[in-house]
Amino acid sequence: MKGFFLFFLAFFLAALSFAEAEPLSLSEALKRALENNPEVRARSYEIRAAEEKRQAAQGALLPQIDFLAEAKRRSDPQAVVPIKGPGEFPSFSRDIYAVEFEMVLPLYEGGRLRQQIKIAEAERAFRESLKRQTLLDLVANIKDIYFYGLYLKGLIKAREVALKALREEEKEAQLKLKIGRLAPLDLLRIKTQVKAQEAALVRSREDLRRTKEALCVLMGEAPRDNFSLVGKLPKKLHLPEVDLSKALSRRPDLKAQR
């Protein structure tokens, strides 16, 4: 029984380490985000609703046909044909049927119907512009968070190397202290550097975990950190200066609001 438990524990740890090694590239993260991001999906539903509203406004220009059929059966016969003159006896019946057919064709309402169509088309264009802006913002946020995660990944490796070197230096300082070749204050200074590097390493690992969780949220998934980021940080680009007022004037959402 104990051997089976150890085997199950080893299998679970191996599966966990395999899950943690799941790679996630930038292109895959962008693909998942564009497909599953809740805000993008909400924008798509808004566009669909605006399109339905436009079709409803356009349908008001078409002929409207109403058809009504009714059948009644009474306990006693009743007159169904009025008396036309003296000496004529009306017809009686227990069954009464009625059929109505009506067609309405809108001709002119002061341009109200066509104006509603224009408003619906403008609203649909506005929703489409919002979706495009949402997609642009999402792509930018995914890239920023992903590159920040790559930066943290490299920073963690660098701090692990630095911590290993400091611990080796600490061991060497302890030996020097025993033979009287190092002052206690110098050893205390090295230990302080080791603790500071350990705290910085823990902080970097926590930042990377939170970065991965934030990336999952943007991808429309449950927050998790059992995957690895692959790729390299892009080289620094020297972008030309941008006129901020001109750039804001070209944003589709600001245009639609104006």
Side-chain angles (χ1 to χ4, degrees):
M1 186 67 181
K2 183 178 180 181
F4 176 77
F5 175 76
L6 293 177
F7 174 77
F8 178 77
L9 181 61
F11 177 79
F12 177 77
L13 293 177
L16 183 62
S17 62
F18 177 77
E20 290 179 352
E22 176 191 355
L24 178 67
S25 62
L26 177 59
S27 59
E28 180 65 21
L30 290 172
K31 179 182 177 181
R32 293 185 187 180
L34 295 177
E35 292 177 353
N36 304 320
N37 183 267
E39 190 173 359
V40 173
R41 299 179 68 178
R43 296 300 186 193
S44 299
Y45 290 134
E46 290 176 356
I47 293 175
R48 187 181 304 177
E51 174 61 21
E52 295 293 337
K53 187 176 180 181
R54 186 194 67 82
Q55 293 181 4
Q58 193 170 9
L61 294 175
L62 302 176
Q64 300 179 10
I65 300 175
D66 295 332
F67 179 79
L68 175 64
E70 182 179 8
K72 295 181 180 180
R73 185 175 180 84
R74 302 182 181 274
S75 59
D76 299 322
Q78 294 186 4
V80 294
V81 178
I83 299 175
K84 295 297 184 180
E88 295 185 4
F89 196 76
S91 301
F92 287 82
S93 176
R94 295 176 57 189
D95 300 325
I96 300 176
Y97 303 97
V99 178
E100 294 183 6
F101 182 81
E102 180 181 3
M103 183 179 70
V104 178
L105 179 62
L107 296 178
Y108 180 71
E109 294 188 16
R112 182 180 64 87
L113 298 179
R114 298 192 179 278
Q115 189 65 27
Q116 288 180 351
I117 295 176
K118 293 181 180 180
I119 294 175
E121 291 176 348
E123 182 178 358
R124 188 183 190 283
F126 171 67
R127 298 300 177 183
E128 289 179 345
S129 66
L130 285 182
K131 182 180 179 181
R132 287 194 297 269
Q133 188 60 44
T134 302
L135 290 173
L136 293 175
D137 293 340
L138 177 62
V139 171
N141 292 333
I142 286 286
K143 288 185 176 180
D144 288 344
I145 294 179
Y146 193 91
F147 290 148
Y148 182 63
L150 291 179
Y151 160 75
L152 290 175
K153 183 179 177 181
L155 181 62
I156 289 173
K157 290 182 179 180
R159 284 180 171 170
E160 288 175 346
V161 173
L163 180 60
K164 183 179 180 181
L166 286 174
R167 285 175 176 172
E168 293 293 335
E169 185 178 357
E170 182 183 7
K171 291 179 181 179
E172 184 179 353
Q174 289 176 352
L175 294 176
K176 290 182 179 180
L177 181 64
K178 289 181 180 180
I179 62 177
R181 296 185 58 186
L182 186 71
L185 183 60
D186 294 335
L187 178 60
L188 182 60
R189 186 182 300 109
I190 295 176
K191 287 185 176 181
T192 302
Q193 294 177 357
V194 170
K195 295 300 180 181
Q197 193 64 237
E198 289 177 349
L201 181 59
V202 172
R203 185 168 58 252
S204 298
R205 288 173 176 171
E206 179 65 18
D207 290 343
L208 180 59
R209 184 184 69 83
R210 294 182 179 275
T211 300
K212 290 181 178 180
E213 291 179 351
L215 189 62
C216 289
V217 172
L218 288 178
M219 292 189 300
E221 302 175 0
R224 59 188 180 90
D225 62 337
N226 57 344
F227 59 91
S228 61
L229 304 178
V230 295
K232 296 181 179 180
L233 286 173
K235 296 181 180 180
K236 185 177 179 181
L237 300 178
H238 297 282
L239 298 177
E241 295 185 0
V242 179
D243 186 358
L244 184 59
S245 59
K246 186 177 181 180
L248 291 176
S249 65
R250 294 179 177 179
R251 285 176 63 101
D253 53 343
L254 297 180
K255 287 183 178 180
Q257 291 180 8
R258 285 194 294 269

